[in-house]
Amino acid sequence: MDSVQVETTAPLAPEFPQIASPLTAISPNYRIPKDTIRTSLKASTADSVLASVYSLGTGGILLSNFLVELGASPVVFGMLSSIPMLVNLIQPLGAYLSERSTSRFQYSLRTHGIGRLLWLILVIGIASAIWGVFNTHQLVILTLLIVLFSNLLGGLGTASWLSWVAMIVPRQLRGRYFGIRNSAANLTTLLCVPIAGLVVSHWYGGSLQGYGVVLLISIVFGLVGLGCQYFQVDMNPRSQNTYYGKLPQISEIQSEIAKDESSEVLQSIHPPQEQLTNSIWKNFNFLIFLLYFSCWNLAVNLSSPFFNLYMLDTLDLDVSYVTIYNSLQAGATLLMVILWGKLADKIGNRPILICIGILVGVTPLLWLGIDANRLDIWLWLPLLHILAGGTWAAIDLCSNNIQLAIAPIKNQSIYFAIAAAVAGASGALGTTIGSFLLQFSQSGGLLGLFALSGLFRLVALVPLMFLQEPERG
């Protein structure tokens, strides 16, 4: 994004060795009743709405403003953004551990649930700082530690969650469904971020205390969001053709399919051995995607953590202004994400990634003339955030869709975890390089970093020219 979003769960998002049967998505009429699919999709949408409230308190502009008031250095901002990406290296381990569990839902509670509860420690830390027990430096360190451990737990659960959702959402509806899901989440952000910003900046006990209140409310909403996952059809990762708990009749359905359906259906139940045993290192298409994904994340994260820092510190804008800009960005995403989803279903994801990627690549260059004058504050900054919202809606949605399409059914979580790990490592590297260039730069500063990031973003699009998107159906 072109304004920092520190996600502890993403989204965008976002977002296995013995995976549950793929026919959840391929042939839902045989595997899961339509009503059950509808209930699962509604529950997942509700989860995304509540998770967006959780994210606005534990990341993004409010957390950035919190650290600015504590006097954090640019290196701290770089670490704050790099940690959620770097911990993606643990996703292959999370994929392995999830396959040894017997329930996607229970595994999600153990990872994401504990990770969200850890933020209560920061609430206690803020209260202690108000009472004089902690100083600002200690509070900054505590914040970074909580970001680290909560994201480690989230990283252990992300691949499992993504595979769970991929099995629920029918392939031909992915663009539209994720468009609607992301739209609902962005509508929540649009409504809640300015309210939260006003609470923080106008809280009678001070902005530090105000942030603590908003953080506590966000944690509660995040835990309720995890509860919504109970209503999603559960799956047992240890059994390829059974589901855990929610569909006791599934074995009977399987028997009927095995007896009555045509060889075409049986072939979809048991994919060809060549597809199941295809090596990751021989999957040229996936390797091209990894090259694009890693280069893109490095280029984007050279600058993305520092746009909010530029507004809050360099331009010295009040946090309420910045939250309004973020709301405009969420509003643009809300309006565009459904359109992008329908367009992706129609023409594919790769053309959108290339065309919109060029626009996202030049966006950092548009910040070079921004100053603290009235015209920029009331016109150009809002327009830049609207542009970012509309374009990043396409990038996030299509990147997720094309990853789901490229990953084969067998060992799906391995592909998801490797992609996340590579992207996380490269994104963290980009953020680290950006923060140190900013810390020790003699000239150029933030604006020079923005220009460098824009150039690298355009170069990162080159691998997409060689990527072959699987047929949609």
Side-chain angles (χ1 to χ4, degrees):
M1 302 180 67
D2 287 318
S3 60
V4 63
Q5 296 291 330
V6 182
E7 299 292 343
T8 59
T9 57
L12 138 270
E15 191 32 55
F16 296 65
Q18 296 175 341
I19 196 163
S21 171
L23 291 187
T24 303
I26 299 175
S27 299
N29 290 336
Y30 294 115
R31 305 300 302 186
I32 302 177
K34 289 183 178 180
D35 289 342
T36 305
I37 292 179
R38 292 191 186 101
T39 301
S40 298
L41 298 184
K42 290 177 181 178
S44 180
T45 302
D47 176 28
S48 72
V49 169
L50 295 170
S52 66
V53 179
Y54 165 76
S55 297
L56 72 87
T58 59
I61 180 58
L62 296 182
L63 186 59
S64 298
N65 181 71
F66 172 68
L67 291 174
V68 166
E69 294 194 356
L70 294 179
S73 67
V75 173
V76 171
F77 278 87
M79 293 176 64
L80 184 69
S81 295
S82 64
I83 286 174
M85 294 178 287
L86 191 59
V87 297
N88 283 327
L89 291 171
I90 206 172
Q91 283 206 30
L93 174 61
Y96 171 77
L97 293 176
S98 72
E99 292 310 310
R100 300 179 67 86
S101 68
T102 56
S103 169
R104 295 287 188 205
F105 172 64
Q106 293 179 11
Y107 186 78
S108 179
L109 286 182
R110 290 195 296 268
T111 53
H112 293 296
I114 297 174
R116 295 182 182 186
L117 283 171
L118 285 178
W119 285 91
L120 290 172
I121 299 175
L122 183 57
V123 175
I124 298 172
I126 292 172
S128 300
I130 293 173
W131 295 331
V133 178
F134 285 171
N135 59 39
T136 57
H137 179 68
Q138 292 171 329
L139 200 55
V140 168
I141 294 176
L142 178 63
T143 302
L144 291 178
L145 287 175
I146 292 173
V147 170
L148 172 62
F149 287 107
S150 65
N151 280 277
L152 279 173
L153 288 164
L156 289 174
T158 298
S160 177
W161 176 86
L162 183 57
S163 183
W164 186 10
V165 174
M167 294 299 100
I168 293 174
V169 183
R171 178 181 293 270
Q172 66 273 19
L173 297 179
R174 282 176 181 167
R176 279 170 284 177
Y177 171 70
F178 284 114
I180 293 172
R181 188 180 188 274
N182 294 349
S183 181
N186 281 281
L187 175 60
T188 305
T189 302
L190 173 66
L191 298 175
C192 293
V193 167
I195 296 174
L198 290 173
V199 170
V200 171
S201 60
H202 294 90
W203 188 261
Y204 69 92
S207 59
L208 189 65
Q209 189 179 115
Y211 175 72
V213 172
V214 171
L215 177 60
L216 180 60
I217 295 173
S218 299
I219 295 169
V220 173
F221 274 84
L223 295 175
V224 175
L226 285 178
C228 292
Q229 295 181 5
Y230 174 79
F231 299 98
Q232 295 177 202
V233 56
D234 202 359
M235 296 183 184
N236 183 352
R238 301 181 70 176
S239 180
Q240 183 172 0
N241 292 314
T242 60
Y243 297 103
Y244 179 81
K246 299 296 179 66
L247 293 175
Q249 76 276 25
I250 198 66
S251 61
E252 300 176 7
I253 297 173
Q254 290 169 343
S255 298
E256 292 298 320
I257 296 174
K259 292 178 182 178
D260 300 334
E261 294 304 317
S262 64
S263 59
E264 181 180 356
V265 174
L266 291 176
Q267 185 178 7
S268 67
I269 297 175
H270 303 288
Q273 186 68 20
E274 181 181 355
Q275 178 185 7
L276 296 178
T277 58
N278 192 16
S279 170
I280 292 176
W281 300 112
K282 294 180 181 179
N283 191 332
F284 178 77
N285 211 33
F286 180 70
L287 295 179
I288 290 294
F289 175 77
L290 282 186
L291 178 61
Y292 154 72
F293 211 37
S294 59
C295 293
W296 178 258
N297 276 276
L298 188 148
V300 166
N301 286 284
L302 275 174
S303 61
S304 65
F306 307 111
F307 289 102
N308 282 340
L309 177 63
Y310 182 69
M311 290 184 289
L312 292 169
D313 189 26
T314 304
L315 300 182
D316 197 25
L317 299 181
D318 186 85
V319 66
S320 59
Y321 285 100
V322 185
T323 54
I324 291 174
Y325 299 152
N326 280 258
S327 295
L328 291 173
Q329 182 169 322
T333 302
L334 171 67
L335 294 175
M336 294 298 297
V337 70
I338 297 178
L339 172 63
W340 292 128
K342 292 180 179 179
L343 189 61
D345 287 338
K346 185 175 297 186
I347 69 172
N349 297 283
R350 189 178 75 100
I352 297 176
L353 285 176
I354 293 174
C355 296
I356 303 302
I358 294 173
L359 188 55
V360 172
V362 301
T363 298
L365 303 178
L366 302 179
W367 284 75
L368 300 185
I370 297 297
D371 206 342
N373 59 66
R374 187 176 297 273
L375 179 64
D376 289 346
I377 291 174
W378 292 106
L379 179 60
W380 294 120
L381 282 172
L383 288 177
L384 280 176
H385 282 80
I386 291 172
L387 175 64
T391 53
W392 274 101
I395 297 296
D396 291 339
L397 180 68
C398 293
S399 295
N400 181 69
N401 287 346
I402 204 169
Q403 182 180 177
L404 293 177
I406 288 176
I409 298 299
K410 184 65 176 176
N411 295 327
Q412 195 177 49
S413 69
I414 298 297
Y415 285 80
F416 292 157
I418 290 175
V422 170
S426 59
L429 178 62
T431 300
T432 303
I433 292 174
S435 62
F436 278 100
L437 286 176
L438 185 61
Q439 183 79 5
F440 301 108
S441 63
Q442 300 297 323
S443 61
L446 279 168
L447 297 181
L449 192 63
F450 295 167
L452 183 65
S453 175
L455 176 63
F456 279 20
R457 291 182 189 194
L458 296 176
V459 174
L461 295 174
V462 173
L464 283 177
M465 304 295 179
F466 305 96
L467 183 68
Q468 298 296 319
E469 183 176 358
E471 293 184 3
R472 303 171 304 283

